[in-house]
Amino acid sequence: MLADRSSVVLCVVILLLVALGIHLGRDVRLNSWDVRHPSSLVRKVVAHVRRPGGLAGMVWFTLLTALFLGLIHLVVVGPVIAGLVRVEDLRGG
């Protein structure tokens, strides 16, 4: 039922980026307006990664969060969208 390989790859990349963003906001305490000061943003991320366990923690959190979000997508969002498509097909749309 998955579309094509490029759609799956794109979905995985997006989930990984979202999970990384959650980690950066949660542990590094970055916000959307920190993008306005790129040098400070890079310094904060590099300092976080250089801490003992910083890189490993970031990688594990990102992978596990992306996996969780992907499972939620498959279990909840996928069937809901499939049901909506089926309803539209039955309505003749």
Side-chain angles (χ1 to χ4, degrees):
M1 184 159 300
L2 294 174
D4 57 2
R5 176 174 245 141
S6 62
S7 297
V8 174
V9 170
L10 179 64
C11 189
V12 168
V13 168
I14 289 172
L15 287 172
L16 287 169
L17 289 173
V18 166
L20 178 61
I22 291 170
H23 175 75
L24 292 175
R26 182 179 172 270
D27 286 353
V28 184
R29 307 296 296 165
L30 294 177
N31 294 300
S32 57
W33 56 80
D34 288 321
V35 175
R36 294 176 52 197
H37 307 286
S39 59
S40 173
L41 184 141
V42 170
R43 271 196 312 275
K44 288 179 183 179
V45 173
V46 168
H48 177 73
V49 169
R50 286 187 175 167
R51 279 190 225 135
L55 180 61
M58 182 170 66
V59 168
W60 279 112
F61 181 91
T62 300
L63 291 175
L64 291 174
T65 302
L67 177 66
F68 174 74
L69 294 173
L71 288 173
I72 292 297
H73 181 76
L74 288 174
V75 171
V76 176
V77 177
V80 168
I81 291 174
L84 290 173
V85 168
R86 200 162 80 203
V87 166
E88 281 298 311
D89 288 343
L90 292 173
R91 287 178 44 187

